[in-house]
Amino acid sequence: MISGEDLKAALPTEPVRELIETIDAPKIASGKVREIYDLDDSVLLVATDRISAFDVVLPGGIPGRGLILTQLSHFWFEQTKGIAPNHIIPNEGEILCNTLKLSRDSQLRSMAVRKLKPLEIECVVRGYIAGSGWESYKQNRTVCGIELPAGLQLASRLPEPIFTPTTKASEGHDMPITAEEAANVVGRDVFEQVRDISLKLYDFGSKLAAKAGIILADTKFEFGTDADGTIYLIDEVLTPDSSRYWDAAEYKVGSSPASFDKQIIRDYLETLEGWNKTAPGPELPLEIVQKAQSRYLEVYSKLVSVV
């Protein structure tokens, strides 16, 4: 685990949108943020500093964002391995350093992972009512078919965390589905396993975050299976991009506190006139970039400092 101060010192001064060094492996895909390479019996995921908003990849990026998110995922994978096995391969360090001979920057933004078959649902756990869950609650007091108590306000803590799966969309937005619909997609046994694992992960994560003065309002987990059907935690885990983190000191029922993610960027983009949320996206002012970077680094530093 790398400390917040050491991670801050390792951040590049300019965003890494494209990798400068050549990776000695075939590239499988290039996503909004990640570059993905085939390592024969495993896969290399390299997170750039590209950033998207409203499904548009923006020019520039947030210096070190990919590095921060990768290291936070590594932290959580290590912390939660007693709850669920994860996709990080045991000899990852040797692969990154000795086999691929990656630079220090690329090592910090990379994961060497098992080749698995991703489940076709995303596993969302909510401990507080916010975001799309709040919009659904206002309509009919339900979220993904789960009826909730009357009288909840925005950002209210739920009586107990709820499991609210979504579809996994290759393009566009994931859509909420009921438990029955999710079970039909992945099978009843697998559904019950990932539901139970997800709730345990949320409970663990929310308790650790609370020690750091942070509220884990909701989060998304992804899982994959190997040829034997073993379920692994994959992708990223409990990062500000897959989770809604609030500063406990700012929390107040009835309003949604600023989250530790790219909400600063979304809020800025909403103020622009003349951009219709289609490509190409606008350049971000330096002030907004610096604020976003600071929020990412702040949540990382707070979380890793409590263990």
Side-chain angles (χ1 to χ4, degrees):
M1 183 182 72
I2 184 170
S3 70
E5 284 301 313
D6 288 343
L7 189 61
K8 182 178 180 180
L11 298 183
T13 56
E14 297 293 329
V16 177
R17 285 183 55 86
E18 305 293 338
L19 299 182
I20 298 175
E21 64 186 302
T22 300
I23 306 294
D24 187 19
K27 182 185 286 190
I28 300 173
S30 182
K32 289 180 181 177
V33 173
R34 285 176 175 162
E35 305 291 351
I36 306 172
Y37 299 86
D38 188 353
L39 301 181
D40 293 330
D41 56 353
S42 59
V43 174
L44 179 69
L45 307 177
V46 188
T48 70
D49 296 335
R50 297 190 295 262
I51 191 162
S52 66
F54 307 112
D55 294 323
V56 175
V57 178
L58 304 176
I62 309 300
R65 174 176 175 267
L67 186 152
I68 295 169
L69 294 178
T70 299
Q71 288 306 304
L72 190 54
S73 281
H74 271 291
F75 166 77
W76 282 115
F77 280 132
E78 179 65 23
Q79 295 299 313
T80 60
K81 63 185 181 182
I83 299 174
N86 60 68
H87 66 170
I88 302 294
I89 61 174
N91 60 334
E92 181 192 51
E94 179 183 347
I95 295 294
L96 300 183
C97 183
N98 299 327
T99 304
L100 296 175
K101 295 180 170 59
L102 300 183
S103 66
R104 176 63 170 164
D105 179 87
S106 290
Q107 288 182 48
L108 289 174
R109 60 177 73 243
S110 295
M111 288 191 287
V113 304
R114 303 171 188 269
K115 284 186 173 180
L116 301 168
K117 181 181 180 181
L119 297 186
E120 295 180 351
I121 63 170
E122 298 196 341
C123 298
V124 179
V125 180
R126 303 174 188 270
Y128 294 73
I129 190 76
S132 61
W134 171 243
E135 295 304 318
S136 176
Y137 176 82
K138 288 192 296 183
Q139 293 179 17
N140 55 19
R141 277 181 42 200
T142 68
V143 179
C144 292
I146 301 172
E147 186 171 345
L148 296 176
L152 295 181
Q153 300 180 58
L154 175 61
S156 288
R157 184 173 182 174
L158 299 175
E160 60 182 10
I162 58 174
F163 182 71
T164 57
T166 72
T167 60
K168 183 181 291 186
S170 56
E171 295 183 3
H173 297 287
D174 302 325
M175 299 301 295
I177 53 178
T178 65
E180 284 302 315
E181 290 169 332
N184 288 337
V185 172
V186 299
R188 173 63 60 182
D189 181 60
V190 170
F191 169 79
E192 291 179 352
Q193 288 185 66
V194 296
R195 177 200 60 198
D196 293 348
I197 293 170
S198 296
L199 289 168
K200 289 177 182 177
L201 289 169
Y202 175 84
D203 180 67
F204 179 87
S206 61
K207 288 176 178 176
L208 189 149
K211 295 178 182 178
I214 294 172
I215 293 172
L216 176 59
D218 53 53
T219 192
K220 175 195 74 176
F221 302 110
E222 295 193 48
F223 296 93
T225 57
D226 63 12
D228 296 326
T230 301
I231 295 173
Y232 293 86
L233 181 61
I234 66 169
D235 198 59
E236 59 183 324
V237 58
L238 292 167
T239 70
D241 276 15
S242 64
S243 313
R244 196 186 311 269
Y245 283 118
W246 295 330
D247 189 330
E250 299 176 1
Y251 173 67
K252 182 180 179 180
V253 175
S255 63
S256 185
S259 53
F260 286 96
D261 63 0
K262 56 187 177 182
Q263 189 61 46
I264 290 171
I265 293 170
R266 294 192 197 96
D267 291 345
Y268 164 75
L269 294 173
E270 290 283 14
T271 69
L272 299 182
E273 296 182 4
W275 185 53
N276 60 359
K277 299 179 181 177
T278 59
E283 291 278 356
L284 296 174
L286 179 59
E287 177 186 8
I288 298 298
V289 170
Q290 291 175 336
K291 285 182 178 179
Q293 183 196 60
S294 177
R295 292 292 277 180
Y296 279 110
L297 189 60
E298 181 182 359
V299 71
Y300 175 91
S301 299
K302 286 184 174 182
L303 289 171
V304 302
S305 69
V306 297
V307 298

